[in-house]
Amino acid sequence: QSSTLYIHKQQTQAHTESKKAEMANFPVINLEKLNGEERGATMQIIKDACENWGFFELVNHGIPHELLDTVERLSKEHYKKVMEQRFKELVASKALEGVQAEVTNLDWESTFYLRHLPTSNIAEVPDLEDEHRKVMKEFAARLEILAEELLDLLCENLGLEKGYLKKAFYGSKGPNFGTKVSNYPPCPNPELIKGLRAHTDAGGIILLFQDDKVSGLQLLKDGEWVDVPPMRHSIVINLGDQLEVITNGKYKSVLHRVIAQTDGNRMSIASFYNPGNDAVIYPAPALVEKEAEEKNEVYPKFVFDDYMKLYAGLKFQAKEPRFEAMKAVGTTVNLAPIPTGLDVY
């Protein structure tokens, strides 16, 4: 029995070591290095991150630290003042406090949404202080520029002409861009309910400003859940389903989740730079190899809004059946503009 215990202890230790190694290898990209002789090496890290992780973390990204500090302060104050009591009432109404069995149809999170493009709704969102509205507007403008810069870096790595991805996202009214402001309050039973259940993101490129003190975000890599390290003033990037389709699977959207914690309230501000509702999404012809075409291993062609309608009901399920369902719809897509519906993040 003692030898079994010893082996189990060794296995646990090895598992912990491998998780630490994964975290140590987590791709962190210093964007300033793109301006010097380390550009080639930095582009290589971005390429590897897109192909093997679906996630990376940016430092020296050009968004002033003071702005990030203000966004964090105002978001946390807003949660305390407006959202916390509502969340407690929701938890009580759903009888989640003394939950005994695993909850699989709810998330332990408190959220609200802001839309920036094609039109902003920041002025209409209730209960926000004027300073908060102003700061979120400035923050969104900075993130929009960063998202478009990143899309061009991906184009460069993929051998696509500059601006290709932005154009692919454009549709008739430009891209959809919005922010989900979330708080993950302390949870008494984190083993029974997720902060946010595992899913891939439906859209394009996601820019996340997260709490640097309370962790919780994890991604699935090689069958293991790996922590996304919280770093002060960093922006975490992950790729959505649309980039997987456009790159014909060269880049992948990756399953990720948020683990609820017993202490600490985790702030998460995720901004989604997505295609316009009527944008037609399909693999870039330059990235479809003849072999893939002959074997019919090409991703589908569809209108983004149709994908979002499907995703709305299947968010927490595997993405592959979604792609298959879009294939079944056929490639004859209607290219006429589609009225803008509600965005689903």
Side-chain angles (χ1 to χ4, degrees), residues 222-326:
D222 307 325
E224 295 266 338
W225 287 105
V226 178
D227 291 326
V228 176
M231 284 170 62
R232 187 143 177 76
H233 298 135
S234 74
I235 299 285
V236 175
I237 305 297
N238 73 288
L239 310 181
D241 294 349
Q242 305 313 303
L243 283 174
E244 180 166 335
V245 172
I246 295 170
T247 63
N248 203 43
K250 196 173 172 67
Y251 292 172
K252 295 274 196 293
S253 59
V254 170
L255 274 175
H256 53 286
R257 66 183 187 184
V258 176
I259 296 297
Q261 309 282 13
T262 47
D263 359 274
N265 180 40
R266 176 177 175 264
M267 177 204 73
S268 153
I269 300 176
S271 296
F272 299 78
Y273 187 98
N274 290 349
N277 288 30
D278 63 351
V280 179
I281 302 297
Y282 56 92
L287 301 178
V288 177
E289 289 154 26
K290 220 169 182 52
E291 201 180 309
E293 206 149 19
E294 281 159 9
K295 287 186 185 165
N296 199 22
E297 289 171 351
V298 179
Y299 278 72
K301 178 179 186 177
F302 52 81
V303 173
F304 179 63
D305 195 46
D306 291 340
Y307 188 84
M308 290 308 281
K309 283 173 184 160
L310 180 75
Y311 178 85
L314 304 171
K315 177 176 176 175
F316 299 108
Q317 294 178 30
K319 63 186 167 178
E320 290 75 15
R322 298 199 290 263
F323 294 146
E324 285 308 311
M326 293 324 283

Side-chain angles (χ1 to χ4, degrees), residues 29-287:
I29 291 144
N30 180 349
L31 276 191
E32 275 184 355
K33 290 190 173 176
L34 289 172
N35 304 322
E37 61 230 25
E38 290 181 69
R39 183 182 173 86
T42 306
M43 289 299 285
Q44 190 56 46
I45 301 170
I46 296 172
K47 181 176 183 285
D48 176 69
C50 291
E51 290 179 2
N52 300 309
W53 290 79
F55 269 78
F56 50 94
E57 201 152 355
L58 296 179
V59 295
N60 294 323
H61 40 64
I63 299 176
H65 289 180
E66 304 75 57
L67 177 60
L68 294 176
D69 290 340
T70 308
V71 166
E72 180 173 0
R73 176 178 61 78
L74 292 173
S75 298
K76 288 184 171 176
E77 282 171 9
H78 177 264
Y79 173 74
K80 275 269 175 240
K81 201 166 139 189
V82 176
M83 311 283 288
E84 189 172 44
Q85 191 51 38
R86 282 183 205 163
F87 183 74
K88 284 178 178 163
E89 285 162 15
L90 177 77
V91 165
S93 72
K94 302 270 186 203
L96 291 175
E97 276 152 338
V99 68
Q100 302 295 309
E102 190 172 356
V103 179
T104 55
N105 62 345
L106 278 172
D107 300 307
W108 190 269
E109 65 171 0
S110 165
T111 59
F112 69 95
Y113 298 91
L114 302 171
R115 191 177 63 245
H116 315 300
L117 295 174
T119 53
S120 170
N121 73 344
I122 289 185
E124 289 96 67
V125 175
D127 306 321
L128 280 187
E129 303 278 338
D130 286 346
E131 186 194 0
H132 200 176
R133 288 182 212 277
K134 191 165 155 277
V135 163
M136 291 309 283
K137 218 170 189 164
E138 189 190 337
F139 181 52
R142 299 267 189 173
L143 286 174
E144 186 190 337
I145 293 164
L146 181 58
E148 291 175 357
E149 277 172 15
L150 288 168
L151 288 178
D152 277 343
L153 293 174
L154 301 194
C155 285
E156 192 179 323
N157 269 339
L158 290 161
L160 297 170
E161 66 190 63
K162 189 176 179 177
Y164 181 93
L165 289 170
K166 185 181 172 183
K167 214 184 306 172
F169 280 23
Y170 207 78
S172 65
K173 297 186 179 112
N176 277 311
F177 186 42
T179 297
K180 175 186 176 187
V181 181
S182 307
N183 277 272
Y184 297 93
C187 176
N189 295 302
E191 67 291 345
L192 296 179
I193 187 165
K194 296 281 177 291
L196 182 58
R197 291 160 282 166
H199 64 287
T200 64
D201 287 327
I205 191 164
I206 297 87
L207 304 96
L208 168 73
F209 174 41
Q210 65 166 350
D211 209 295
D212 64 303
K213 293 174 188 70
V214 185
S215 65
L217 179 62
Q218 297 183 328
L219 66 99
L220 193 65
K221 186 176 190 306
D222 307 325
E224 295 266 338
W225 287 105
V226 178
D227 291 326
V228 176
M231 284 170 62
R232 187 143 177 76
H233 298 135
S234 74
I235 299 285
V236 175
I237 305 297
N238 73 288
L239 310 181
D241 294 349
Q242 305 313 303
L243 283 174
E244 180 166 335
V245 172
I246 295 170
T247 63
N248 203 43
K250 196 173 172 67
Y251 292 172
K252 295 274 196 293
S253 59
V254 170
L255 274 175
H256 53 286
R257 66 183 187 184
V258 176
I259 296 297
Q261 309 282 13
T262 47
D263 359 274
N265 180 40
R266 176 177 175 264
M267 177 204 73
S268 153
I269 300 176
S271 296
F272 299 78
Y273 187 98
N274 290 349
N277 288 30
D278 63 351
V280 179
I281 302 297
Y282 56 92
L287 301 178

